[in-house]
Amino acid sequence: MLSIIKIFAKGNRFLVSTISTLVVSIAMTTGAGAADIAAIYTESCAACHDSGALNAIKKGDSVKWQQLIQQKGMPALISSVKNGMIQMPAGGLCENCSNDDYRKLIEYMSK
Ligand code: HEC
């Protein structure tokens, strides 16, 4: 006797629980942290300061950076970036950078 086994394929219904999107809010007021500075550098300043394009002082050329920081002083360098220079666009391609961010970026490049 052949028994026909009927397999009722029941569609398994997985209850997909909706995972609420975790919104990481970036605290703008506290300024950029070390990881952010590296990211901002890569997005904005690296275009010229990584390769030394247009004669920009290279990141990591600490001798030249230290000389410049001593000669002009940090506040002057920050305003150079903000106002732009001969070849450097105003803001150095960073639209949301604060003075403090620029200072950290310059220190980051000078190491
Ligand atoms: C489009 C290329 C370019 C980008 C992008 C750029 N720079 Fe520059 N930067 C230069 C060049 C070129 C110089 C050398 C001065 C000149 O010829 O304009 C310079 C000079 C500087 C100086 C020296 C200023 C002085 O008074 O001597 C600082 C500080 C500086 N850059 C910081 C930054 C920072 C911080 C960023 C990113 C937020 C940035 N730069 C992005 C091209 C660039």
Side-chain angles (χ1 to χ4, degrees):
M1 209 170 103
L2 291 172
S3 62
I4 302 166
I5 305 163
K6 288 185 181 176
I7 302 166
F8 294 96
K10 286 184 183 174
N12 287 323
R13 284 189 180 179
F14 293 100
L15 288 174
V16 182
S17 59
T18 311
I19 302 162
S20 58
T21 313
L22 194 77
V23 180
V24 180
S25 61
I26 302 161
M28 303 297 287
T29 47
T30 53
D36 298 330
I37 289 300
I40 296 171
Y41 170 78
T42 306
E43 275 171 30
S44 309
C45 324
C48 304
H49 287 277
D50 235 26
S51 61
L54 311 169
N55 281 328
I57 302 177
K58 281 191 189 181
K59 176 190 183 303
D61 192 341
S62 52
V63 175
K64 281 195 184 164
W65 277 114
Q66 291 308 327
Q67 276 177 356
L68 199 64
I69 292 167
Q70 278 180 7
Q71 277 171 8
K72 294 191 174 180
M74 190 54 93
L77 295 184
I78 291 168
S79 53
S80 291
V81 188
K82 284 174 76 175
N83 301 325
M85 287 190 79
I86 307 159
Q87 310 253 43
M88 180 163 55
L93 300 182
C94 181
E95 288 171 15
N96 304 314
C97 280
S98 65
N99 283 2
D100 199 44
D101 293 336
Y102 287 131
R103 181 183 55 76
K104 287 178 185 165
L105 285 164
I106 293 167
E107 283 168 356
Y108 179 76
M109 285 198 277
S110 73
K111 282 173 188 160

